[in-house]
């Protein structure tokens, strides 16, 4: 592959306080235009790692490069143009009086002209289907809509890299599905997407690469398809693959392929087996 | 005998502003839960699931005010008129966010808090604390501060604190939301033990279709302030048109069953991994032998 990494880490160690490090030597290359899922138990270092990508945290040891430039020497405000970070709890980032104001805050802070700020704000409102709520305070919107506003506000800054920390937690299934359709679209438009989630079904369905962290180290890193075939290694991190993937694995003796990630893929494989016999 | 009987229950929260309108949340809920039953409730956000849970221990409407009509009767006691403190010895409740219900300096004191408030003698309290911590597998953490526990441990502690009141009914409002996979497995392990070994009556709000399919006797679907359907989980999880309408997910094997039925005219209704494995192996193997 000839794709340049947009994020690279070498020997990355981070300690919140003296003692056991939250990140304990991470070497990683994330290719440009990746759709990366990060999984692992709480405390495995997922959020700590991604906070190094936008410079919110600086390495205790080792180095992180974003587009070839070390984050240690770059202010967070400058990295914000390149790496957008959507917090786990939308209420940690929402403060605007109206949805429109909330979304225009980031572009305005980039020092863009008013015309450009307005254009980006309107575009983000449209992209996230939020026009009807533009004049309402985000606080009165339901949780699912507030989450959308928080993603739209980061999107409006047009960072090439977008990090979403558990974007669907607290959302019901329909809202989660709608939000993930938007994230898929952002990826298709060329953004690099980094997604933290405990929902293996979502990771399997949407991402192309998966990183498994355990106690501050990389346990597995590869294509999502490869990672979810490593049942035994995943078990070390007490991660259970999606049910449909487990079913394919149990039916390996009947000829089911082991790299099934979705119900649709299972059906295709199963139908082929059945049709071959008829 | 029904342990919980909810009849035509309407509820509106008081207005946010003095001149505002009451906020109608429940629009006539009917539901009954039998002794020893594990009833799961699923529904999208904002349909009134938490409000319904709070009506079963009397906090709605006794603490929240607002307007209530109809009845919520738990073990023969109307929750609108029976004091909340009295209901607390019959109905245990565990909330989504364990942080909001833990406040003591140690695990042990947290569990003892409820029984102490009942004015029980120290020997009885000690016995209840030991028992409750043992049920949730937290004896080793007695002297620990709750704030130093993992999410799953906090939620198990919240369950132990409820159990120490020796309730007949346990209500859990999305107890695994926000927990990592290990925490989810821990909490479901405890819930399973309570229903299988102790035949406790359990009402649990959850979005975890795969675990509901495994553990729940019946599944109630809540939608826009009402219970719109109560049925065996396999019947609901293979009714794709209905699930689509209410915006809920089924276990992946149930989605698979629907897709295979459409293609092959089969009548599969899987909700569990093992069921799907067995049926599909029979199908694929059977073909190989006959060919």
């Amino acid at each position: 592959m000839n794709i340049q990494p947009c994020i690279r880490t070498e020997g990355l160690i981070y300690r919140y306080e003296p003692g056991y490090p939250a990140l304990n030597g991470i070497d990683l290359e994330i290719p440009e235009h990746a759709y990366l899922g990060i999984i692992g138990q709480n405390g495995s270092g997922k959020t700590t790692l991604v906070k190094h990508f936008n410079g919110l945290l600086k390495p205790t040891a080792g180095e992180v490069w974003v587009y070839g430039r070390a984050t240690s020497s770059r202010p967070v405000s400058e990295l914000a143009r390149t790496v957008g970070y959507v917090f786990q709890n939308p209420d940690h980032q929402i403060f605007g009086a109206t949805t429109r104001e909330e979304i225009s805050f980031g572009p305005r802070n980039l020092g863009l002209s008013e015309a450009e700020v307005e254009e980006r704000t309107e575009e983000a409102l449209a992209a996230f289907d939020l026009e009807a709520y533009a004049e309402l305070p985000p606080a009165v919107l339901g949780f699912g809509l507030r989450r959308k506003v928080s993603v739209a506000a980061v999107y409006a800054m047009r960072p090439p890299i977008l990090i979403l920390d558990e974007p669907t937690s607290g959302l019901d299934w329909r809202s989660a599905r709608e939000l993930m359709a938007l994230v898929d679209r952002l990826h298709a438009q060329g953004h690099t997407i980094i997604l933290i989630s405990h929902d293996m079904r979502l990771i399997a369905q949407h991402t192309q690469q998966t990183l498994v962290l355990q106690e501050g180290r990389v346990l597995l890193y590869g294509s999502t398809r490869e990672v979810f075939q490593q049942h035994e290694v995943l078990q070390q991190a007490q991660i259970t693959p999606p049910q449909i993937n487990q079913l394919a694995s149990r039916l390996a003796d009947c000829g089911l392929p082991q790299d099934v990630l979705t119900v649709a893929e299972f059906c295709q494989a199963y139908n082929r087996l059945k049709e071959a016999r008829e | 005998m029904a342990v919980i009987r909810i009849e035509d229950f309407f509820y509106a929260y008081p207005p946010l502003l003095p001149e505002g309108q009451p906020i109608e949340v429940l629009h006539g809920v009917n539901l009954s839960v039998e002794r020893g039953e594990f009833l799961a409730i699923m529904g999208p956000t904002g349909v009134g699931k938490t409000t319904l849970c709070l009506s079963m221990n009397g906090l709605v409407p006794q603490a929240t005010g607002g307007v209530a009509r109809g009845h919520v009767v738990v073990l023969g006691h109307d929750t609108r008129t029976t004091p909340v403190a009295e209901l607390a010895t019959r109905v245990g409740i565990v909330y989504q966010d364990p942080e909001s219900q833990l406040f003591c300096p140690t695990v042990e004191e947290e569990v003892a808090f409820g029984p102490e408030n009942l004015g029980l003698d120290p020997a009885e309290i000690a016995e209840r604390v030991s028992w409750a911590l043992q049920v949730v597998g937290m004896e080793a953490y007695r002297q620990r501060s709750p704030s130093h526990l993992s999410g799953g441990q906090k939620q198990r502690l919240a369950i132990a604190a409820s159990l120490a009141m020796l309730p007949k009914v346990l209500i859990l409002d999305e107890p695994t939301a926000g927990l990592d996979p290990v925490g989810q497995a821990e909490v479901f392990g405890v819930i399973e033990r309570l229903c299988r070994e102790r035949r406790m009556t359990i009402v649990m709000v959850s979005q975890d279709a795969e675990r509901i399919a495994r553990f729940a006797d019946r599944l109630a679907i809540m939608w826009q302030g009402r219970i719109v359907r109560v049925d065996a989980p396999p019947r609901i999880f293979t009714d794709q048109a209905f699930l689509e309408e209410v915006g809920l997910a089924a276990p992946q094997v149930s989605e698979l069953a629907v897709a295979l039925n459409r293609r092959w005219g089969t009548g599969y209704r899987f909700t569990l991994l093992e069921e799907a494995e067995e049926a599909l192996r029979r199908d694929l193997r059977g073909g190989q032998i006959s060919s």
Side-chain angles (χ1 to χ4, degrees), chain A residues 68-106:
Chain A
R69 295 178 59 195
T71 59
S72 49
S73 56
R74 297 171 72 184
V76 178
S77 56
E78 191 205 310
L79 274 163
R81 293 166 186 269
T82 312
V83 186
Y85 180 59
V86 181
F87 281 80
Q88 200 168 336
N89 185 338
D91 300 332
H92 288 171
Q93 84 184 68
I94 288 180
F95 49 84
T98 65
T99 297
R100 176 174 277 118
E101 196 185 305
E102 180 66 40
I103 293 174
S104 63
F105 180 82

Side-chain angles (χ1 to χ4, degrees), chain B residues 188-268:
Chain B
F188 271 100
V190 170
I191 296 169
E192 186 190 7
R193 213 173 314 140
L194 289 172
C195 80
R196 293 277 138 87
E197 294 171 17
R198 301 185 184 271
R199 299 286 296 152
M200 187 160 224
T201 307
I202 291 177
V203 176
M204 182 183 67
V205 177
S206 174
Q207 307 294 347
D208 189 335
E210 281 162 23
R211 285 197 169 98
I212 287 175
R214 191 166 294 279
F215 299 126
D217 299 310
R218 287 191 304 157
L219 171 58
I221 301 296
M222 198 161 182
W223 173 246
Q224 297 181 341
R226 288 187 189 84
I227 299 287
V228 293
R229 184 163 172 187
V230 185
D231 215 333
R235 299 179 69 95
I236 292 182
F237 285 142
T238 50
D239 188 344
Q240 206 174 36
F242 173 73
L243 288 174
E244 191 61 36
E245 191 187 348
V246 293
L248 295 173
Q252 282 187 313
V253 292
S254 303
E255 286 181 4
L256 176 67
V258 171
L260 293 180
N261 293 346
R262 204 182 298 131
R263 171 68 178 81
W264 299 100
T266 39
Y268 293 135

